[in-house]
Amino acid sequence: GESVGLHLPTLSVQEGDNSIINCAYSNSASDYFIWYKQESGKGPQFIIDIRSNMDKRQGQRVTVLLNKTVKHLSLQIAATQPGDSAVYFCAEYESNDMRFGAGTRLTVKP
Amino acid sequence: EAGVTQFPSHSVIEKGQTVTLRCDPISGHDNLYWYRRVMGKEIKFLLHFVKESKQDESGMPNNRFLAERTGGTYSTLKVQPAELEDSGVYFCASSRTLQGPQHFGDGTRLSIL
């Protein structure tokens, strides 16, 4: 599979617990944000998105929170499962092009 | 619906050689993007096509990289001549609309020896 960056922030949680992954973005003009999940050897997979006119959006077991005041985005995963283990990236849209954050590695302990 | 497909999945070449990566977007997606992830770094934008036109190529590192999308369907990314620092995973993505969710292929892992 794909090699992992040595300096990737990591989060380790127990199976069944809730996970919160945080992301700070840089451009106050960004108006659309996406969370992606990347498993080893695969491309980023869309999880959930949110536009800047919202501060919260919920999906199945996932919630994205947007705080535009401090330019902060978070992804909450409820009842984390082993299959949730992956690298999670936030991405922001600047104009019509997307820019990724550094990523966080989530490890779920059984 | 078939997803974004990339070919090859893996390429190992020597410095100075030429390599061409191919991306087939999801049918009907006018927007096609190339990204790359170099070891230990985040995924970086390279360029964006809208149909056959280059909308934004501000992320292309230098003139050794040439991307094309003739006919507005599949795209190729050619690296000529390849250098050691070009090693990494090259991702392609497509979307139906501007500022819509991008769907990614599984990438091409490029290794330059």
Side-chain angles (χ1 to χ4, degrees), chain A residues 45-93:
Chain A
Q45 177 188 6
F46 173 87
I47 302 173
I48 191 168
D49 59 358
I50 188 168
R51 298 204 180 265
S52 59
N53 60 351
M54 303 172 70
D55 52 22
K56 179 179 180 179
R57 189 156 189 236
Q58 288 185 290
Q60 187 174 15
R61 282 202 308 120
V62 294
T63 301
V64 56
L65 299 177
L66 174 62
N67 185 330
K68 295 181 287 293
T69 303
V70 295
K71 292 188 284 187
H72 184 267
L73 195 66
S74 69
L75 176 71
Q76 300 178 0
I77 304 174
T80 313
Q81 301 168 2
D84 295 327
S85 293
V87 177
Y88 289 80
F89 293 95
C90 66
E92 63 180 304
Y93 261 87

mmCIF file of all heavy atoms in Angstrom, chain A residues 45-93:
data_model
loop_
_atom_site.group_PDB
_atom_site.id
_atom_site.type_symbol
_atom_site.label_atom_id
_atom_site.label_comp_id
_atom_site.label_asym_id
_atom_site.label_seq_id
_atom_site.Cartn_x
_atom_site.Cartn_y
_atom_site.Cartn_z
ATOM 1 N N GLN A 45 -11.620 8.900 -0.418
ATOM 2 C CA GLN A 45 -13.037 8.588 -0.595
ATOM 3 C C GLN A 45 -13.870 9.660 0.091
ATOM 4 O O GLN A 45 -13.656 9.962 1.270
ATOM 5 C CB GLN A 45 -13.327 7.207 0.008
ATOM 6 C CG GLN A 45 -14.774 6.778 -0.049
ATOM 7 C CD GLN A 45 -15.004 5.492 0.728
ATOM 8 O OE1 GLN A 45 -14.120 4.976 1.385
ATOM 9 N NE2 GLN A 45 -16.210 4.976 0.668
ATOM 10 N N PHE A 46 -14.807 10.228 -0.626
ATOM 11 C CA PHE A 46 -15.693 11.270 -0.084
ATOM 12 C C PHE A 46 -16.479 10.746 1.112
ATOM 13 O O PHE A 46 -17.048 9.651 1.068
ATOM 14 C CB PHE A 46 -16.651 11.725 -1.184
ATOM 15 C CG PHE A 46 -17.719 12.673 -0.725
ATOM 16 C CD1 PHE A 46 -17.487 14.038 -0.681
ATOM 17 C CD2 PHE A 46 -18.971 12.197 -0.342
ATOM 18 C CE1 PHE A 46 -18.478 14.913 -0.264
ATOM 19 C CE2 PHE A 46 -19.959 13.068 0.073
ATOM 20 C CZ PHE A 46 -19.712 14.421 0.111
ATOM 21 N N ILE A 47 -16.492 11.545 2.204
ATOM 22 C CA ILE A 47 -17.286 11.173 3.377
ATOM 23 C C ILE A 47 -18.479 12.110 3.511
ATOM 24 O O ILE A 47 -19.632 11.681 3.543
ATOM 25 C CB ILE A 47 -16.458 11.253 4.669
ATOM 26 C CG1 ILE A 47 -15.226 10.350 4.601
ATOM 27 C CG2 ILE A 47 -17.312 10.858 5.877
ATOM 28 C CD1 ILE A 47 -14.311 10.533 5.794
ATOM 29 N N ILE A 48 -18.201 13.388 3.644
ATOM 30 C CA ILE A 48 -19.251 14.363 3.898
ATOM 31 C C ILE A 48 -18.734 15.745 3.535
ATOM 32 O O ILE A 48 -17.523 15.982 3.555
ATOM 33 C CB ILE A 48 -19.695 14.315 5.388
ATOM 34 C CG1 ILE A 48 -20.968 15.130 5.609
ATOM 35 C CG2 ILE A 48 -18.573 14.771 6.317
ATOM 36 C CD1 ILE A 48 -21.615 14.891 6.980
ATOM 37 N N ASP A 49 -19.632 16.632 3.178
ATOM 38 C CA ASP A 49 -19.239 17.988 2.824
ATOM 39 C C ASP A 49 -20.111 18.994 3.565
ATOM 40 O O ASP A 49 -21.152 18.649 4.138
ATOM 41 C CB ASP A 49 -19.301 18.220 1.310
ATOM 42 C CG ASP A 49 -20.695 17.988 0.707
ATOM 43 O OD1 ASP A 49 -21.624 17.604 1.453
ATOM 44 O OD2 ASP A 49 -20.829 18.154 -0.519
ATOM 45 N N ILE A 50 -19.677 20.243 3.539
ATOM 46 C CA ILE A 50 -20.442 21.308 4.175
ATOM 47 C C ILE A 50 -20.129 22.624 3.490
ATOM 48 O O ILE A 50 -18.967 22.878 3.123
ATOM 49 C CB ILE A 50 -20.148 21.381 5.690
ATOM 50 C CG1 ILE A 50 -21.099 22.365 6.394
ATOM 51 C CG2 ILE A 50 -18.693 21.763 5.957
ATOM 52 C CD1 ILE A 50 -21.066 22.269 7.917
ATOM 53 N N ARG A 51 -21.126 23.455 3.306
ATOM 54 C CA ARG A 51 -20.907 24.768 2.716
ATOM 55 C C ARG A 51 -20.845 25.808 3.828
ATOM 56 O O ARG A 51 -21.323 25.571 4.931
ATOM 57 C CB ARG A 51 -22.009 25.082 1.706
ATOM 58 C CG ARG A 51 -21.983 24.078 0.556
ATOM 59 C CD ARG A 51 -22.600 24.558 -0.731
ATOM 60 N NE ARG A 51 -22.513 23.503 -1.756
ATOM 61 C CZ ARG A 51 -21.531 23.434 -2.658
ATOM 62 N NH1 ARG A 51 -20.572 24.336 -2.671
ATOM 63 N NH2 ARG A 51 -21.516 22.448 -3.535
ATOM 64 N N SER A 52 -20.313 26.956 3.495
ATOM 65 C CA SER A 52 -20.010 27.937 4.538
ATOM 66 C C SER A 52 -21.248 28.600 5.126
ATOM 67 O O SER A 52 -21.145 29.290 6.139
ATOM 68 C CB SER A 52 -19.067 29.012 3.996
ATOM 69 O OG SER A 52 -19.656 29.664 2.899
ATOM 70 N N ASN A 53 -22.412 28.375 4.520
ATOM 71 C CA ASN A 53 -23.630 28.949 5.098
ATOM 72 C C ASN A 53 -24.248 28.038 6.168
ATOM 73 O O ASN A 53 -25.331 28.296 6.672
ATOM 74 C CB ASN A 53 -24.661 29.246 4.010
ATOM 75 C CG ASN A 53 -25.078 28.013 3.234
ATOM 76 O OD1 ASN A 53 -24.482 26.951 3.395
ATOM 77 N ND2 ASN A 53 -26.083 28.157 2.399
ATOM 78 N N MET A 54 -23.538 26.949 6.474
ATOM 79 C CA MET A 54 -23.977 26.025 7.508
ATOM 80 C C MET A 54 -22.885 25.907 8.562
ATOM 81 O O MET A 54 -21.710 26.171 8.278
ATOM 82 C CB MET A 54 -24.251 24.645 6.912
ATOM 83 C CG MET A 54 -25.264 24.638 5.790
ATOM 84 S SD MET A 54 -25.367 23.026 5.004
ATOM 85 C CE MET A 54 -26.134 22.079 6.317
ATOM 86 N N ASP A 55 -23.248 25.496 9.776
ATOM 87 C CA ASP A 55 -22.207 25.228 10.765
ATOM 88 C C ASP A 55 -22.196 23.775 11.224
ATOM 89 O O ASP A 55 -21.297 23.354 11.954
ATOM 90 C CB ASP A 55 -22.329 26.167 11.973
ATOM 91 C CG ASP A 55 -23.716 26.166 12.569
ATOM 92 O OD1 ASP A 55 -24.458 25.187 12.353
ATOM 93 O OD2 ASP A 55 -24.066 27.149 13.245
ATOM 94 N N LYS A 56 -23.156 23.004 10.750
ATOM 95 C CA LYS A 56 -23.201 21.594 11.140
ATOM 96 C C LYS A 56 -23.931 20.814 10.055
ATOM 97 O O LYS A 56 -24.923 21.293 9.492
ATOM 98 C CB LYS A 56 -23.933 21.440 12.474
ATOM 99 C CG LYS A 56 -24.057 20.020 12.977
ATOM 100 C CD LYS A 56 -24.780 20.000 14.322
ATOM 101 C CE LYS A 56 -24.921 18.595 14.863
ATOM 102 N NZ LYS A 56 -25.599 18.574 16.186
ATOM 103 N N ARG A 57 -23.430 19.611 9.810
ATOM 104 C CA ARG A 57 -24.112 18.736 8.864
ATOM 105 C C ARG A 57 -23.901 17.298 9.332
ATOM 106 O O ARG A 57 -22.794 16.928 9.728
ATOM 107 C CB ARG A 57 -23.566 18.932 7.460
ATOM 108 C CG ARG A 57 -24.368 18.204 6.400
ATOM 109 C CD ARG A 57 -24.206 18.827 5.029
ATOM 110 N NE ARG A 57 -25.167 18.223 4.111
ATOM 111 C CZ ARG A 57 -24.844 17.644 2.978
ATOM 112 N NH1 ARG A 57 -23.585 17.579 2.618
ATOM 113 N NH2 ARG A 57 -25.772 17.118 2.212
ATOM 114 N N GLN A 58 -24.955 16.511 9.251
ATOM 115 C CA GLN A 58 -24.855 15.127 9.749
ATOM 116 C C GLN A 58 -25.057 14.130 8.630
ATOM 117 O O GLN A 58 -25.879 14.335 7.734
ATOM 118 C CB GLN A 58 -25.895 14.893 10.846
ATOM 119 C CG GLN A 58 -25.548 15.600 12.145
ATOM 120 C CD GLN A 58 -26.518 15.269 13.259
ATOM 121 O OE1 GLN A 58 -27.656 15.707 13.205
ATOM 122 N NE2 GLN A 58 -26.079 14.531 14.250
ATOM 123 N N GLY A 59 -24.282 13.053 8.718
ATOM 124 C CA GLY A 59 -24.478 11.933 7.810
ATOM 125 C C GLY A 59 -24.705 10.693 8.648
ATOM 126 O O GLY A 59 -25.070 10.777 9.831
ATOM 127 N N GLN A 60 -24.438 9.564 8.049
ATOM 128 C CA GLN A 60 -24.601 8.324 8.794
ATOM 129 C C GLN A 60 -23.369 8.114 9.666
ATOM 130 O O GLN A 60 -22.281 7.901 9.178
ATOM 131 C CB GLN A 60 -24.742 7.153 7.823
ATOM 132 C CG GLN A 60 -25.091 5.845 8.489
ATOM 133 C CD GLN A 60 -25.355 4.743 7.473
ATOM 134 O OE1 GLN A 60 -25.016 4.879 6.308
ATOM 135 N NE2 GLN A 60 -25.946 3.661 7.906
ATOM 136 N N ARG A 61 -23.497 8.220 10.931
ATOM 137 C CA ARG A 61 -22.436 8.075 11.937
ATOM 138 C C ARG A 61 -21.398 9.189 11.886
ATOM 139 O O ARG A 61 -20.448 9.181 12.668
ATOM 140 C CB ARG A 61 -21.682 6.731 11.835
ATOM 141 C CG ARG A 61 -22.393 5.538 12.414
ATOM 142 C CD ARG A 61 -21.433 4.399 12.760
ATOM 143 N NE ARG A 61 -20.568 4.016 11.663
ATOM 144 C CZ ARG A 61 -19.241 4.070 11.698
ATOM 145 N NH1 ARG A 61 -18.607 4.507 12.776
ATOM 146 N NH2 ARG A 61 -18.533 3.692 10.653
ATOM 147 N N VAL A 62 -21.516 10.111 10.981
ATOM 148 C CA VAL A 62 -20.542 11.203 10.905
ATOM 149 C C VAL A 62 -21.239 12.544 10.990
ATOM 150 O O VAL A 62 -22.362 12.710 10.511
ATOM 151 C CB VAL A 62 -19.679 11.141 9.624
ATOM 152 C CG1 VAL A 62 -18.797 9.909 9.625
ATOM 153 C CG2 VAL A 62 -20.537 11.193 8.378
ATOM 154 N N THR A 63 -20.535 13.499 11.610
ATOM 155 C CA THR A 63 -21.010 14.868 11.709
ATOM 156 C C THR A 63 -19.846 15.792 11.409
ATOM 157 O O THR A 63 -18.734 15.569 11.910
ATOM 158 C CB THR A 63 -21.537 15.173 13.130
ATOM 159 O OG1 THR A 63 -22.595 14.279 13.439
ATOM 160 C CG2 THR A 63 -22.039 16.606 13.224
ATOM 161 N N VAL A 64 -20.081 16.800 10.599
ATOM 162 C CA VAL A 64 -19.048 17.802 10.341
ATOM 163 C C VAL A 64 -19.502 19.118 10.973
ATOM 164 O O VAL A 64 -20.662 19.506 10.854
ATOM 165 C CB VAL A 64 -18.760 17.958 8.836
ATOM 166 C CG1 VAL A 64 -20.009 18.281 8.047
ATOM 167 C CG2 VAL A 64 -17.684 19.004 8.599
ATOM 168 N N LEU A 65 -18.578 19.754 11.676
ATOM 169 C CA LEU A 65 -18.826 21.048 12.300
ATOM 170 C C LEU A 65 -17.899 22.076 11.681
ATOM 171 O O LEU A 65 -16.714 21.803 11.471
ATOM 172 C CB LEU A 65 -18.587 20.973 13.807
ATOM 173 C CG LEU A 65 -19.470 20.008 14.595
ATOM 174 C CD1 LEU A 65 -19.045 20.005 16.066
ATOM 175 C CD2 LEU A 65 -20.928 20.379 14.471
ATOM 176 N N LEU A 66 -18.430 23.236 11.395
ATOM 177 C CA LEU A 66 -17.651 24.313 10.788
ATOM 178 C C LEU A 66 -17.726 25.558 11.661
ATOM 179 O O LEU A 66 -18.825 26.034 11.966
ATOM 180 C CB LEU A 66 -18.180 24.626 9.390
ATOM 181 C CG LEU A 66 -17.570 25.815 8.661
ATOM 182 C CD1 LEU A 66 -16.078 25.603 8.410
ATOM 183 C CD2 LEU A 66 -18.304 26.073 7.344
ATOM 184 N N ASN A 67 -16.581 26.061 12.063
ATOM 185 C CA ASN A 67 -16.509 27.308 12.819
ATOM 186 C C ASN A 67 -15.716 28.299 11.984
ATOM 187 O O ASN A 67 -14.487 28.269 11.942
ATOM 188 C CB ASN A 67 -15.826 27.072 14.173
ATOM 189 C CG ASN A 67 -15.828 28.313 15.050
ATOM 190 O OD1 ASN A 67 -15.800 29.448 14.548
ATOM 191 N ND2 ASN A 67 -15.863 28.117 16.346
ATOM 192 N N LYS A 68 -16.427 29.185 11.315
ATOM 193 C CA LYS A 68 -15.780 30.112 10.396
ATOM 194 C C LYS A 68 -15.009 31.205 11.144
ATOM 195 O O LYS A 68 -14.067 31.770 10.603
ATOM 196 C CB LYS A 68 -16.816 30.741 9.461
ATOM 197 C CG LYS A 68 -17.459 29.722 8.530
ATOM 198 C CD LYS A 68 -18.462 30.371 7.598
ATOM 199 C CE LYS A 68 -19.729 30.775 8.318
ATOM 200 N NZ LYS A 68 -20.490 29.591 8.799
ATOM 201 N N THR A 69 -15.416 31.475 12.363
ATOM 202 C CA THR A 69 -14.763 32.538 13.133
ATOM 203 C C THR A 69 -13.291 32.208 13.368
ATOM 204 O O THR A 69 -12.415 33.070 13.227
ATOM 205 C CB THR A 69 -15.461 32.735 14.482
ATOM 206 O OG1 THR A 69 -16.836 33.031 14.244
ATOM 207 C CG2 THR A 69 -14.808 33.855 15.268
ATOM 208 N N VAL A 70 -13.038 30.941 13.695
ATOM 209 C CA VAL A 70 -11.659 30.532 13.964
ATOM 210 C C VAL A 70 -11.107 29.652 12.845
ATOM 211 O O VAL A 70 -10.030 29.074 12.985
ATOM 212 C CB VAL A 70 -11.539 29.813 15.326
ATOM 213 C CG1 VAL A 70 -11.874 30.775 16.455
ATOM 214 C CG2 VAL A 70 -12.431 28.594 15.380
ATOM 215 N N LYS A 71 -11.832 29.550 11.752
ATOM 216 C CA LYS A 71 -11.410 28.753 10.587
ATOM 217 C C LYS A 71 -11.053 27.330 10.998
ATOM 218 O O LYS A 71 -9.934 26.839 10.788
ATOM 219 C CB LYS A 71 -10.249 29.438 9.868
ATOM 220 C CG LYS A 71 -10.670 30.751 9.192
ATOM 221 C CD LYS A 71 -9.576 31.350 8.317
ATOM 222 C CE LYS A 71 -8.514 31.991 9.160
ATOM 223 N NZ LYS A 71 -7.521 32.735 8.350
ATOM 224 N N HIS A 72 -12.050 26.666 11.584
ATOM 225 C CA HIS A 72 -11.836 25.324 12.107
ATOM 226 C C HIS A 72 -12.949 24.405 11.629
ATOM 227 O O HIS A 72 -14.129 24.769 11.606
ATOM 228 C CB HIS A 72 -11.803 25.382 13.642
ATOM 229 C CG HIS A 72 -11.500 24.077 14.276
ATOM 230 N ND1 HIS A 72 -12.494 23.198 14.676
ATOM 231 C CD2 HIS A 72 -10.326 23.470 14.584
ATOM 232 C CE1 HIS A 72 -11.934 22.129 15.196
ATOM 233 N NE2 HIS A 72 -10.619 22.265 15.161
ATOM 234 N N LEU A 73 -12.538 23.212 11.286
ATOM 235 C CA LEU A 73 -13.458 22.186 10.776
ATOM 236 C C LEU A 73 -13.216 20.927 11.604
ATOM 237 O O LEU A 73 -12.059 20.612 11.929
ATOM 238 C CB LEU A 73 -13.102 21.929 9.313
ATOM 239 C CG LEU A 73 -14.039 21.202 8.386
ATOM 240 C CD1 LEU A 73 -15.295 22.007 8.150
ATOM 241 C CD2 LEU A 73 -13.315 20.954 7.066
ATOM 242 N N SER A 74 -14.262 20.215 11.949
ATOM 243 C CA SER A 74 -14.051 18.945 12.644
ATOM 244 C C SER A 74 -14.964 17.872 12.072
ATOM 245 O O SER A 74 -16.028 18.158 11.519
ATOM 246 C CB SER A 74 -14.285 19.089 14.151
ATOM 247 O OG SER A 74 -15.648 19.310 14.422
ATOM 248 N N LEU A 75 -14.492 16.642 12.199
ATOM 249 C CA LEU A 75 -15.258 15.471 11.780
ATOM 250 C C LEU A 75 -15.461 14.595 12.999
ATOM 251 O O LEU A 75 -14.487 14.200 13.647
ATOM 252 C CB LEU A 75 -14.500 14.688 10.703
ATOM 253 C CG LEU A 75 -15.158 13.391 10.241
ATOM 254 C CD1 LEU A 75 -16.409 13.710 9.417
ATOM 255 C CD2 LEU A 75 -14.187 12.549 9.416
ATOM 256 N N GLN A 76 -16.697 14.316 13.315
ATOM 257 C CA GLN A 76 -17.004 13.445 14.437
ATOM 258 C C GLN A 76 -17.525 12.124 13.893
ATOM 259 O O GLN A 76 -18.429 12.119 13.052
ATOM 260 C CB GLN A 76 -18.041 14.095 15.355
ATOM 261 C CG GLN A 76 -17.568 15.421 15.927
ATOM 262 C CD GLN A 76 -18.620 16.097 16.797
ATOM 263 O OE1 GLN A 76 -19.712 15.587 16.994
ATOM 264 N NE2 GLN A 76 -18.281 17.265 17.318
ATOM 265 N N ILE A 77 -16.957 11.032 14.381
ATOM 266 C CA ILE A 77 -17.400 9.707 13.985
ATOM 267 C C ILE A 77 -17.966 9.037 15.226
ATOM 268 O O ILE A 77 -17.271 8.880 16.240
ATOM 269 C CB ILE A 77 -16.241 8.871 13.421
ATOM 270 C CG1 ILE A 77 -15.573 9.595 12.248
ATOM 271 C CG2 ILE A 77 -16.741 7.488 12.972
ATOM 272 C CD1 ILE A 77 -14.313 8.907 11.721
ATOM 273 N N ALA A 78 -19.210 8.648 15.158
ATOM 274 C CA ALA A 78 -19.856 7.998 16.296
ATOM 275 C C ALA A 78 -19.595 6.488 16.272
ATOM 276 O O ALA A 78 -19.517 5.880 15.202
ATOM 277 C CB ALA A 78 -21.358 8.263 16.264
ATOM 278 N N ALA A 79 -19.436 5.918 17.459
ATOM 279 C CA ALA A 79 -19.275 4.463 17.591
ATOM 280 C C ALA A 79 -18.235 3.950 16.607
ATOM 281 O O ALA A 79 -18.518 3.138 15.726
ATOM 282 C CB ALA A 79 -20.610 3.763 17.391
ATOM 283 N N THR A 80 -17.013 4.432 16.762
ATOM 284 C CA THR A 80 -15.943 4.130 15.819
ATOM 285 C C THR A 80 -15.714 2.626 15.700
ATOM 286 O O THR A 80 -15.699 1.893 16.696
ATOM 287 C CB THR A 80 -14.649 4.826 16.258
ATOM 288 O OG1 THR A 80 -14.931 6.182 16.590
ATOM 289 C CG2 THR A 80 -13.630 4.801 15.135
ATOM 290 N N GLN A 81 -15.540 2.186 14.461
ATOM 291 C CA GLN A 81 -15.372 0.762 14.165
ATOM 292 C C GLN A 81 -13.981 0.514 13.571
ATOM 293 O O GLN A 81 -13.360 1.430 13.027
ATOM 294 C CB GLN A 81 -16.446 0.325 13.161
ATOM 295 C CG GLN A 81 -17.858 0.541 13.642
ATOM 296 C CD GLN A 81 -18.888 0.376 12.530
ATOM 297 O OE1 GLN A 81 -18.544 0.064 11.383
ATOM 298 N NE2 GLN A 81 -20.150 0.571 12.867
ATOM 299 N N PRO A 82 -13.486 -0.710 13.613
ATOM 300 C CA PRO A 82 -12.173 -1.003 13.024
ATOM 301 C C PRO A 82 -12.065 -0.576 11.571
ATOM 302 O O PRO A 82 -11.000 -0.146 11.114
ATOM 303 C CB PRO A 82 -12.064 -2.529 13.185
ATOM 304 C CG PRO A 82 -12.888 -2.835 14.390
ATOM 305 C CD PRO A 82 -14.048 -1.875 14.332
ATOM 306 N N GLY A 83 -13.161 -0.679 10.831
ATOM 307 C CA GLY A 83 -13.156 -0.268 9.426
ATOM 308 C C GLY A 83 -12.995 1.223 9.223
ATOM 309 O O GLY A 83 -12.789 1.678 8.092
ATOM 310 N N ASP A 84 -13.074 1.994 10.293
ATOM 311 C CA ASP A 84 -12.869 3.439 10.206
ATOM 312 C C ASP A 84 -11.391 3.802 10.227
ATOM 313 O O ASP A 84 -11.036 4.960 9.978
ATOM 314 C CB ASP A 84 -13.575 4.163 11.355
ATOM 315 C CG ASP A 84 -15.087 4.018 11.297
ATOM 316 O OD1 ASP A 84 -15.634 3.945 10.177
ATOM 317 O OD2 ASP A 84 -15.721 3.956 12.373
ATOM 318 N N SER A 85 -10.539 2.847 10.523
ATOM 319 C CA SER A 85 -9.095 3.110 10.546
ATOM 320 C C SER A 85 -8.626 3.534 9.155
ATOM 321 O O SER A 85 -8.829 2.809 8.172
ATOM 322 C CB SER A 85 -8.320 1.868 10.989
ATOM 323 O OG SER A 85 -8.591 1.559 12.338
ATOM 324 N N ALA A 86 -8.027 4.713 9.074
ATOM 325 C CA ALA A 86 -7.605 5.266 7.778
ATOM 326 C C ALA A 86 -6.949 6.617 8.043
ATOM 327 O O ALA A 86 -6.859 7.055 9.194
ATOM 328 C CB ALA A 86 -8.808 5.447 6.848
ATOM 329 N N VAL A 87 -6.527 7.263 6.979
ATOM 330 C CA VAL A 87 -6.082 8.656 7.069
ATOM 331 C C VAL A 87 -7.245 9.540 6.615
ATOM 332 O O VAL A 87 -7.870 9.272 5.581
ATOM 333 C CB VAL A 87 -4.849 8.912 6.189
ATOM 334 C CG1 VAL A 87 -4.453 10.384 6.242
ATOM 335 C CG2 VAL A 87 -3.685 8.038 6.651
ATOM 336 N N TYR A 88 -7.529 10.566 7.385
ATOM 337 C CA TYR A 88 -8.635 11.472 7.089
ATOM 338 C C TYR A 88 -8.086 12.833 6.698
ATOM 339 O O TYR A 88 -7.242 13.410 7.388
ATOM 340 C CB TYR A 88 -9.559 11.590 8.297
ATOM 341 C CG TYR A 88 -10.347 10.324 8.534
ATOM 342 C CD1 TYR A 88 -9.772 9.234 9.186
ATOM 343 C CD2 TYR A 88 -11.658 10.196 8.072
ATOM 344 C CE1 TYR A 88 -10.471 8.052 9.368
ATOM 345 C CE2 TYR A 88 -12.375 9.028 8.259
ATOM 346 C CZ TYR A 88 -11.769 7.960 8.903
ATOM 347 O OH TYR A 88 -12.466 6.788 9.081
ATOM 348 N N PHE A 89 -8.577 13.340 5.570
ATOM 349 C CA PHE A 89 -8.152 14.641 5.068
ATOM 350 C C PHE A 89 -9.343 15.592 5.027
ATOM 351 O O PHE A 89 -10.425 15.215 4.572
ATOM 352 C CB PHE A 89 -7.634 14.530 3.628
ATOM 353 C CG PHE A 89 -6.369 13.752 3.472
ATOM 354 C CD1 PHE A 89 -6.402 12.398 3.152
ATOM 355 C CD2 PHE A 89 -5.134 14.361 3.614
ATOM 356 C CE1 PHE A 89 -5.229 11.671 2.988
ATOM 357 C CE2 PHE A 89 -3.964 13.649 3.461
ATOM 358 C CZ PHE A 89 -4.017 12.297 3.151
ATOM 359 N N CYS A 90 -9.093 16.826 5.472
ATOM 360 C CA CYS A 90 -10.062 17.865 5.174
ATOM 361 C C CYS A 90 -9.594 18.571 3.908
ATOM 362 O O CYS A 90 -8.399 18.565 3.588
ATOM 363 C CB CYS A 90 -10.205 18.855 6.332
ATOM 364 S SG CYS A 90 -8.727 19.840 6.647
ATOM 365 N N ALA A 91 -10.525 19.128 3.181
ATOM 366 C CA ALA A 91 -10.179 19.865 1.972
ATOM 367 C C ALA A 91 -11.067 21.097 1.892
ATOM 368 O O ALA A 91 -12.237 21.066 2.285
ATOM 369 C CB ALA A 91 -10.372 18.996 0.735
ATOM 370 N N GLU A 92 -10.496 22.193 1.420
ATOM 371 C CA GLU A 92 -11.244 23.431 1.256
ATOM 372 C C GLU A 92 -11.194 23.853 -0.202
ATOM 373 O O GLU A 92 -10.201 23.608 -0.893
ATOM 374 C CB GLU A 92 -10.655 24.536 2.146
ATOM 375 C CG GLU A 92 -9.223 24.916 1.803
ATOM 376 C CD GLU A 92 -8.649 26.008 2.688
ATOM 377 O OE1 GLU A 92 -9.248 27.109 2.773
ATOM 378 O OE2 GLU A 92 -7.592 25.774 3.307
ATOM 379 N N TYR A 93 -12.268 24.477 -0.624
ATOM 380 C CA TYR A 93 -12.314 25.004 -1.973
ATOM 381 C C TYR A 93 -11.887 26.465 -1.954
ATOM 382 O O TYR A 93 -12.486 27.290 -1.264
ATOM 383 C CB TYR A 93 -13.718 24.883 -2.568
ATOM 384 C CG TYR A 93 -13.872 23.695 -3.480
ATOM 385 C CD1 TYR A 93 -14.226 22.456 -2.964
ATOM 386 C CD2 TYR A 93 -13.654 23.803 -4.852
ATOM 387 C CE1 TYR A 93 -14.368 21.362 -3.793
ATOM 388 C CE2 TYR A 93 -13.790 22.707 -5.688
ATOM 389 C CZ TYR A 93 -14.152 21.491 -5.152
ATOM 390 O OH TYR A 93 -14.292 20.407 -5.970
#
